[in-house]
Amino acid sequence: MSRRKAKTSRLGMIASAGAVLLLLVGGMLSFHGLREREESELMERLSRLERLIEESPNWVEQAREERLVHSDDLPILVRWLGREYRPEWMKRAEAMYRRLAPDNDYLTDGYAFKATRGIAILGTNAAPAIPTLVHFLRRGDDPELAIQALGSI
């Protein structure tokens, strides 16, 4: 009888661990989907920025009036900019991923440039990003984008 209880107990633990794992994976996938949706919405708003730049010499003020970038977008902008300052092995891994999944739009180039424009629109509202931008300056080989972002705050 004790072997049966031990076996039942082990099966129960395995089932519980499997359920917890499924919940964790589901939560991670849900979070990833939400983050991608937020990034695509921001990218859509920033695509309207190109039109403003062509039409208006004071595109920053006009973008602020149209609320193309919100302070809630700051973590996304910093993440986009931070992709330029990752270690070399991460850049190589991403290049390999691009070859494996070429249809994935969110991995296209130009995000760091759009991030600097988004930070320029936020102006002083982007001040919480200053420590991270300084970290990018110290870590990267090409500090130009981080300098531009810092200069626009």
Side-chain angles (χ1 to χ4, degrees), residues 18-38:
V20 168
L21 183 63
L22 282 174
L23 285 172
L24 287 173
V25 169
M28 286 172 35
L29 290 174
S30 175
F31 174 74
H32 184 69
L34 175 65
R35 187 169 93 178
E36 279 188 6
R37 186 171 53 248
E38 289 173 347

Side-chain angles (χ1 to χ4, degrees), residues 126-139:
I130 290 175
T132 306
L133 295 172
V134 169
H135 180 71
F136 291 162
L137 280 173
R138 292 181 180 149
R139 190 172 65 189

Side-chain angles (χ1 to χ4, degrees), residues 52-144:
L52 283 179
I53 291 172
E54 292 174 4
E55 295 174 357
S56 173
N58 196 359
W59 58 269
V60 172
E61 289 301 320
Q62 195 164 351
R64 286 178 183 156
E65 287 174 16
E66 292 187 25
R67 298 201 29 90
L68 292 182
V69 180
H70 312 117
S71 57
D72 294 342
D73 298 327
L74 186 60
I76 297 171
L77 296 171
V78 169
R79 187 169 47 248
W80 287 354
L81 191 60
R83 293 178 64 212
E84 296 296 315
Y85 296 99
R86 290 173 306 181
E88 199 57 41
W89 68 269
M90 285 180 119
K91 291 179 183 178
R92 284 193 298 262
E94 181 181 357
M96 187 169 62
Y97 180 76
R98 283 185 191 191
R99 285 192 298 273
L100 295 174
D103 295 337
N104 226 340
D105 259 358
Y106 75 94
L107 288 175
T108 57
D109 293 328
Y111 275 52
F113 183 67
K114 290 182 181 190
T116 57
R117 288 185 170 177
I119 290 172
I121 292 167
L122 286 175
T124 57
N125 290 331
I130 290 175
T132 306
L133 295 172
V134 169
H135 180 71
F136 291 162
L137 280 173
R138 292 181 180 149
R139 190 172 65 189
D141 297 331
D142 184 15
E144 184 178 337

